[in-house]
Amino acid sequence: MSNITQQSIQSPITPTWCPGCGNFGILGAIKQAFVQMAMPEENLVVVYGVGCSGNMADFNRVYGFHSLHGRAISNAMGIKMANHKLKVIVVAGEGDTYGEGLNHLISAARGNHDITVLVHNNQTYSLTTGQSSPTTFKGTATKSTPDGLIEEPMNPLTMALAAHAGYVARAYAGNMAQLINLVKAALNHEGFALVDVLQPCPTFNKVNTYQWFQQKVYDLDKEGYQPYDQRLAWEKAMETEKIPVGLFYHDPSLLAYHKHLSQLEKQSLLEQRAEKISLEKPFQAFV
Amino acid sequence: MMKWNWKIAGQAGEGVMVVSRMVAQLAKRHGLYAFNYLEYPSLIKGGHQTGQVLFSDKPVFSQQRELDVLIAFGKAAFKEHVKEITKKTIVIYNQNAGDLTAEDTNDCQGKIINLPLNEFARRATKTKLATNTVAFGITTAIFGFDKKVSLSLVSEAFVGKGEEVIKTNHAAFMLGYEAILAELSPLHEFKVATDNQVITTGNEAVGLGALAGGVQFYSAYPMTPASAAMHFLADQQKNYPLIVKHVEDEIAAINQAIGASYAGVRSMTGSSGGGFALMVEGLSLAGITETPLVILYGQRPGPATGLPTWTSQADLQFILRAGHGEFQRVVLTPGTIAEHYELTKLAFDLAEKYHIPVFIVSDKYALESHQTWQQPPTEVEVKKLSYMADKDLSADDSYLRYSLEAEDGISPRSVPGQPHGLYISNSYEHDPSGYATEDADMTRQQTEKRAEKYNGLIKEIPQPELIGPKDAPTTFVCWGSTVNVLKDLVAMTDKVNVIHLPCVWPFPSNAFIELAAKAQRLVMVEGNHTGQGEQLIRQETGITFKENLRRFDGRPFYAEDILNWLEQ
Ligand SMILES: Cc1ncc(C[n+]2csc(CCOP(=O)(O)OP(=O)(O)O)c2C)c(N)n1
Ligand code: SF4
C-alpha cells in the first residue's frame, strides 16, 4: 500500500491538449488534491467521459475507467456499489454530463451516491471540433448553429440543487488553489458532489476566454457566504452578471446511498464474494 | 401416460393467473409433472386472461389445446375457447355473469355445468374477489385431488393477510368443492406424494441460476417479460450479498453492471428488445474493455412496443450482431425451465473466465410459464476465474492488464483495491497497459487477442441435443423455448426427433453437422417470420432447409398443431 505522489500518478504519456487549454489547470489541481489527501493509490478510481476532458485518462496512472460519451456516472455508480470502500471520481465534459448523460447525473444526485463529479465546463463540444453545448450562451454561432444558438443555456448548479445534491460547487480552472480545496472537500463529502469547473477552451470558445472569466468571476468565500441554505444557494446560482465561484451548497447530514443498504453494513459487496453458496432458502418458495 | 388439461378464463383482475399457478402447484404436490401457460393483455384491469395447466404422471413441457376442464368466469371467456372444447370437456360456467343462450352454446360439444361462482364467493367472503378460490375448490374436486393440500395452498396464498381472510377463503373453497360434487363424480383420485421437484417460471429459474452463479449486482429497468427476474432477485437481497438496482434507463442498467463488474463482482442486467436496444453501445463497451457481463434477454414481439405480453423469437439476428465493432460473445438459448437455471449459472462462469458478455436469450413463453423440474443440489461452488492473485502482482508495477501473451485471449485482470494492479479500462483501443492507442500494429494485435477467445469458447459451450428416437423419419430443429413444445410432440409420436440448440453462438457447427447428417428430413421450427435461426445455420454450416414452421403471431407453437401438420 503506497500513497499517491506526484511521481506515482505520472503516466508515461504527455498531455495532448492545446497550449493554453484550461484542462492543464484542472489536471494539476486534481493531482494536487489526491496527493494532499494521502490516498493509497489502489483505493482511487477515476472514471472518465469522452471528450477533450476525458482524454485525461491517459495522463494519470490510477485505476481508471475510460467510459463511453455520457455514461461515466453510471459506471462510477456501479463501481461504488460493488466496492464502497473506494474513492470514486468522474472526470467529464459538460456535453457528456449535462447533455448526453444528464439522466444519470440526476439519478446519482437523487440517490446521493457517494461519487464526485468534476465537470470540465468549456461551453463547447471541443473534441468534436466546436459545436454548441448545453451551457453555450444563447445566440452563439458555432459549427452546428451557424445562425446562433436558439436554446437557453442550462444551469447545472440549480439543476443539481433541484436533484437534492448535497455538495454543489463551481470552480474556475484559472484558480488552482480554490479548485484543489473544492475537489478535496468534494471527495471528503460522503455523498454526491458536483464540482462544475469553468474551463477556457482557447481553440474553440472565443467568447468565454481567460480574460472574460477574469473580469466576471468572484469568490463566494471572500464574501463570507455560508453554503448551508438551499434557497440562498439557488439565488447565488442564478447570478449571471458576475459569476460566483466556490462552494454553493453543502449538507453533510444526508445519508449516502450505500449507507442505506443493510447488505453493506459490515463489508463491501466485493469482500462478501462467496466460494460456497447455499440455495436452500430461495428454493423453499417453489416446492 | 395419463394427462389432463385444465383452463380458466376471465378478465384481468379476477385472479386467473394466481389460481392457475396454484393448480400447477397442486398437481406437483401429488407427484405429477405440470406446465402452466398464461395469456394476458397489456392491461391491469379488464381484458381477457387465461391460465392453463397441463399435468401428467410423465414429464410435460408445454400447453395443450384440447381441454378436459374449462372454467369460464364470463360469457366472453366461454366463447373465446369454444373451439378447445371436445365431447369429453367439462365446462364450469359462472352463471352470475348472465345465462348462456342456445346460440352461445351452439358450437359447444362438452358438458356445461352452471354454477353461481360469484355468489359463492360473496357468501363466504362478502366480496366476489374470492371467485378464483371457489374455482380452486371446484378444480380440486373434479380431479379428485386431496383437499387438505389445496387448503394449505390457499393458506399459503394468503399468508400475512390474517386468520379471517384465510378462514373465509377456505369457506369459499368448500362451497365450490361441494357444489361440483353434487353434479358429478371426480374424474380421478390423486394421492399426495412427496416429490423432489420445484415449480418455477423461467424468470425465477434465471434468478435462481444467477444466485447459483454468484450474482452480486443486477441493474435493470422494468420491461415485460424480463421484469419478474428483477423482482425475484430484488427479494433475495435479504438473503445474499446482492444489490438489485432499478435504474433510470437501460443505458444506466448496462453501464452500472459494467462498472460493478469492473470492480470485481459478478454482474448482470436484463430486459426485452426495446430496452436492450438502448444497451447496445454498452455491450460494445463490455466487448472492448473485456468486462464480464451477463444479460438476460426476454423476447417479445416487436418492432417497437409490439405486443408487450406475448411471445416471439424474432430478435436472434439482432442479438448476434448487436454492438458496433467486432468482439466475442456467447448466446445461450435455454429451452426447458431447468435449462434456464443451468445455463444462467454457466453464463456467469463463461463471462468471468473469458471477460465477455454472455446472453441468456429467452422469451415471454418460457420466462412467464411455470414448469416442474428436478430440484438441483442446493449447495454450489463459485470459482474465481481469470483474476490476478495479490501475490502475482509484482511490486515493480509491471502488470499488464491487456497483455498480448494471453492463452485463448484471456489476460487475467486485477480489480481496484489490489496494490500494484493499476490499469485503465478503456473504451478506446488500447495498449497492454490500457492506455489509448491508434497504432496500427497494436490495433490489429488487440483485435486478434480478443478474437482468440473463440478458440476456448467453442470447446466449452453447451452442445446441440438430440431428443427422441435416433432414426425417426422427421427431424425438427429448434433453439430456445420451442424445444418444450417439441419434447411433448416426441411423447405423442415415435415418428419424429428433435435437435435442440441450447447455445447458438459460438455456433457448434461440428456437432450440428453430425446430427443433421443423420436426419432423413429436416424441418426448422422457430417463432419468427424470416427464419433467423435457419439463416444462422446456413451461414455457419451451409445446411439449407427445404421445410420450416414459423410462427409470428405472438403465440407459442402447439404440439397438436405440429402433429396435424405432419399427418397431412
Ligand atoms: C454516443 C456518442 N455520441 C457522440 C460522440 C462524439 N463525441 C465525442 S466527445 C463529444 C462532445 C465533447 O464535448 P464535452 O463533453 O463538452 O467535452 P470536451 O471535449 O468539451 O471536453 C462528442 C459529441 C461519441 N463519442 N459518442
Ligand atoms: S480543443 Fe479546447 S478543450 Fe480541447 S484541448 Fe484544445 S483547448 Fe482544450
Side-chain angles (χ1 to χ4, degrees):
Chain A
M1 213 163 81
S2 43
N3 289 346
I4 297 175
T5 63
Q6 282 293 352
Q7 292 74 38
S8 80
I9 199 172
Q10 191 60 50
S11 96
I13 297 165
T14 318
T16 45
W17 292 313
C18 313
C21 174
N23 286 331
F24 285 104
I26 302 175
L27 173 63
I30 67 170
K31 280 184 178 178
Q32 268 294 334
F34 296 154
V35 173
Q36 288 179 18
M37 286 174 79
M39 259 192 274
E41 63 175 15
E42 62 273 14
N43 288 353
L44 169 74
V45 178
V46 187
V47 187
Y48 306 90
V50 169
C52 286
S53 37
N55 283 349
M56 192 197 285
D58 289 330
F59 316 143
N60 289 329
R61 189 188 146 274
V62 291
Y63 271 112
F65 193 95
H66 200 167
S67 179
L68 298 165
H69 185 54
R71 313 304 163 201
I73 289 177
S74 293
N75 298 139
M77 286 163 75
I79 293 166
K80 186 71 191 187
M81 281 185 268
N83 184 355
H84 65 270
K85 298 191 174 170
L86 301 168
K87 284 270 181 217
V88 181
I89 181 168
V90 169
V91 168
E94 88 287 1
D96 208 302
T97 316
Y98 307 145
E100 190 90 334
L102 179 62
N103 207 1
H104 313 314
L105 179 77
I106 292 172
S107 294
R110 282 178 51 224
N112 199 27
H113 290 262
D114 182 20
I115 59 174
T116 293
V117 177
L118 192 81
V119 180
H120 298 218
N121 183 355
N122 58 14
Q123 297 171 265
T124 178
Y125 280 22
S126 296
L127 190 63
T128 45
T129 71
Q131 300 86 358
S132 67
S133 92
T135 54
T136 305
F137 292 151
K138 184 173 180 164
T140 312
T142 71
K143 278 186 184 161
S144 58
T145 58
D147 297 330
L149 180 67
I150 293 169
E151 288 91 339
E152 295 287 350
M154 76 170 296
N155 184 330
L157 303 188
T158 54
M159 214 262 340
L161 288 169
H164 305 275
Y167 184 103
V168 180
R170 182 194 280 143
Y172 167 47
N175 184 347
M176 281 265 279
Q178 186 188 41
L179 179 54
I180 293 168
N181 286 334
L182 288 173
V183 171
K184 282 198 299 189
L187 283 165
N188 283 327
H189 167 73
E190 193 174 41
F192 179 82
L194 175 71
V195 184
D196 180 71
V197 191
L198 304 171
Q199 178 233 320
C201 164
T203 305
F204 293 114
N205 186 337
K206 307 292 183 195
V207 181
N208 314 105
T209 60
Y210 283 101
Q211 275 158 323
W212 186 86
F213 280 121
Q214 228 55 283
Q215 284 166 7
K216 285 269 192 181
V217 298
Y218 75 95
D219 192 342
L220 278 175
D221 235 13
K222 292 196 180 125
E223 296 237 307
Y225 173 80
Q226 293 293 313
Y228 304 110
D229 182 330
Q230 245 171 345
R231 278 166 194 272
L232 221 56
W234 190 282
E235 241 170 63
K236 280 285 166 201
M238 292 296 285
E239 285 183 18
T240 49
E241 207 41 54
K242 285 275 181 183
I243 306 174
V245 290
L247 182 53
F248 283 67
Y249 184 63
H250 190 200
D251 181 356
S253 72
L254 296 174
L255 208 56
Y257 190 89
H258 65 270
K259 292 262 174 164
H260 290 275
L261 301 175
S262 60
Q263 59 272 53
L264 300 185
E265 230 160 60
K266 296 199 183 79
Q267 286 180 307
S268 70
L269 270 192
L270 182 67
E271 287 167 315
Q272 294 178 77
R273 183 179 166 133
E275 270 172 39
K276 290 197 162 60
I277 291 172
S278 173
L279 300 170
E280 191 83 42
K281 259 192 205 164
F283 267 120
Q284 272 163 17
F286 302 112
V287 293
Chain B
M1 175 176 186
M2 300 187 289
K3 62 179 176 179
W4 290 269
N5 195 25
W6 169 96
K7 186 169 199 163
I8 190 161
Q11 301 251 305
E14 288 187 326
V16 161
M17 311 227 283
V18 176
V19 70
S20 197
R21 175 179 188 246
M22 285 165 72
V23 170
Q25 260 180 310
L26 180 61
K28 188 195 87 72
R29 290 196 188 176
H30 288 79
L32 304 169
Y33 300 86
F35 181 82
N36 173 33
Y37 171 60
L38 305 167
E39 289 188 346
Y40 63 99
S42 184
L43 298 166
I44 300 302
K45 282 273 185 312
H48 187 67
Q49 261 192 10
T50 64
Q52 60 193 89
V53 181
L54 182 69
F55 55 92
S56 170
D57 57 345
K58 294 270 156 26
V60 282
F61 299 93
S62 67
Q63 76 298 345
Q64 182 184 301
R65 193 165 268 129
E66 290 190 355
L67 297 171
D68 293 299
V69 173
L70 171 67
I71 302 179
F73 281 177
K75 236 180 217 191
F78 169 78
K79 285 190 184 164
E80 185 79 19
H81 302 292
V82 165
K83 288 209 186 79
E84 298 150 46
I85 296 171
T86 67
K87 280 196 201 95
K88 64 174 179 110
T89 310
I90 297 164
V91 181
I92 313 298
Y93 179 72
N94 174 23
Q95 63 188 154
N96 297 131
D99 289 336
L100 293 171
T101 62
E103 197 187 323
D104 292 333
T105 58
N106 234 352
D107 298 331
C108 175
Q109 304 176 39
K111 175 184 161 100
I112 299 174
I113 299 172
N114 291 296
L115 288 175
L117 304 185
N118 295 150
E119 199 185 307
F120 285 161
R122 277 211 194 84
R123 207 186 294 164
T125 66
K126 300 205 175 75
T127 82
K128 66 173 196 174
L129 280 176
T131 304
N132 61 346
T133 311
V134 174
F136 193 49
I138 291 169
T139 305
T140 303
I142 290 183
F143 291 111
F145 284 121
D146 187 330
K147 76 169 184 289
K148 281 203 284 303
V149 180
S150 297
L151 288 170
S152 69
L153 279 166
V154 172
S155 306
E156 286 170 36
F158 292 103
V159 113
K161 300 254 164 79
E163 278 306 308
E164 188 57 24
V165 176
I166 293 176
K167 215 174 87 191
T168 55
N169 270 279
H170 279 188
F173 174 93
M174 286 311 297
L175 286 175
Y177 186 88
E178 275 156 10
I180 194 70
L181 286 184
E183 302 278 342
L184 50 71
S185 47
L187 297 177
H188 197 83
E189 191 185 330
F190 290 104
K191 293 251 176 330
V192 192
T194 46
D195 63 316
N196 44 18
Q197 295 195 98
V198 288
I199 180 161
T200 76
T201 60
N203 271 318
E204 288 158 348
V206 167
L208 289 161
L211 293 174
V215 68
Q216 290 199 270
F217 191 81
Y218 188 90
S219 42
Y221 189 86
M223 189 166 189
T224 306
S227 306
M230 167 166 69
H231 303 163
F232 170 79
L233 286 170
D235 242 7
Q236 295 303 322
Q237 289 176 104
K238 58 182 186 289
N239 297 328
Y240 295 91
L242 163 71
I243 293 177
V244 174
K245 185 81 183 80
H246 169 180
V247 294
E248 62 273 21
D249 58 31
E250 288 84 353
I251 301 176
I254 192 164
N255 279 293
Q256 288 194 15
I258 289 171
S261 179
Y262 162 79
V265 307
R266 290 190 166 197
S267 304
M268 179 172 180
T269 182
S271 189
S272 187
F276 177 72
L278 294 180
M279 296 187 189
V280 169
E281 192 190 17
L283 181 73
S284 190
L285 177 66
I288 197 165
T289 57
E290 303 192 42
T291 308
L293 180 67
V294 175
I295 302 162
L296 167 64
Y297 192 122
Q299 296 169 101
R300 69 190 215 191
T305 311
L307 280 69
T309 60
W310 298 84
T311 203
S312 164
Q313 293 190 301
D315 293 352
L316 180 65
Q317 291 288 350
F318 175 45
I319 295 161
L320 290 169
R321 294 179 200 285
H324 52 297
E326 297 171 310
F327 54 93
Q328 294 301 317
R329 73 193 71 197
V330 170
V331 181
L332 300 171
T333 43
T336 62
I337 304 302
E339 203 168 46
H340 280 69
Y341 170 82
E342 286 156 26
L343 295 193
T344 305
K345 184 172 183 297
L346 174 70
F348 280 91
D349 281 344
L350 291 177
E352 186 168 274
K353 179 170 174 187
Y354 289 93
H355 300 159
I356 52 164
V358 178
F359 288 87
I360 299 139
V361 176
S362 187
D363 48 37
K364 184 269 169 183
Y365 178 51
L367 290 175
E368 294 197 349
S369 297
H370 292 89
Q371 203 173 67
T372 46
W373 48 292
Q374 184 82 26
Q375 175 162 344
T378 51
E379 307 305 309
V380 296
E381 277 185 37
V382 176
K383 290 207 186 83
K384 263 189 113 174
L385 300 165
S386 308
Y387 281 102
M388 288 298 287
D390 288 349
K391 64 172 173 40
D392 296 332
L393 288 164
S394 149
D396 65 4
D397 291 318
S398 57
Y399 166 66
L400 295 174
R401 166 67 182 91
Y402 300 102
S403 169
L404 292 169
E405 281 155 42
E407 202 182 328
D408 288 338
I410 303 167
S411 49
R413 62 182 178 135
S414 60
V415 296
Q418 277 187 297
H420 308 298
L422 272 55
Y423 80 97
I424 170 125
S425 179
N426 210 328
S427 75
Y428 284 79
E429 188 58 270
H430 39 262
D431 66 16
S433 48
Y435 293 119
T437 184
E438 293 182 0
D439 180 75
D441 278 338
M442 186 49 68
T443 302
R444 182 175 48 75
Q445 287 169 328
Q446 289 290 347
T447 304
E448 284 170 354
K449 170 199 184 287
R450 291 188 293 267
E452 272 162 27
K453 295 175 185 184
Y454 178 92
N455 305 337
L457 283 167
I458 192 73
K459 291 181 225 142
E460 288 201 51
I461 52 158
Q463 295 296 305
E465 185 191 356
L466 183 74
I467 301 157
K470 278 203 180 64
D471 45 10
T474 301
T475 298
F476 288 105
V477 179
C478 64
W479 56 275
S481 72
T482 304
V483 73
N484 289 299
V485 175
L486 295 175
K487 269 176 174 274
D488 281 350
L489 178 67
V490 167
M492 289 173 176
T493 165
D494 55 7
K495 297 205 171 60
V496 306
N497 61 21
V498 177
I499 302 174
H500 163 59
L501 289 159
C503 174
V504 294
W505 197 264
F507 192 82
S509 300
N510 292 344
F512 184 82
I513 289 169
E514 208 171 292
L515 290 175
K518 293 185 190 130
Q520 299 167 40
R521 172 193 183 193
L522 276 177
V523 184
M524 184 79 193
V525 191
E526 58 184 322
N528 57 61
H529 180 66
T530 49
Q532 300 188 19
E534 214 178 302
Q535 288 170 30
L536 175 66
I537 292 169
R538 188 163 65 235
Q539 169 192 309
E540 294 301 310
T541 66
I543 295 172
T544 55
F545 286 79
K546 294 203 184 66
E547 293 172 280
N548 60 52
L549 294 172
R550 294 177 187 168
R551 184 154 200 178
F552 39 87
D553 58 359
R555 276 67 179 168
F557 289 100
Y558 282 73
E560 295 146 293
D561 294 349
I562 301 178
L563 191 64
N564 283 340
W565 177 83
L566 210 55
E567 282 165 358
Q568 269 162 29

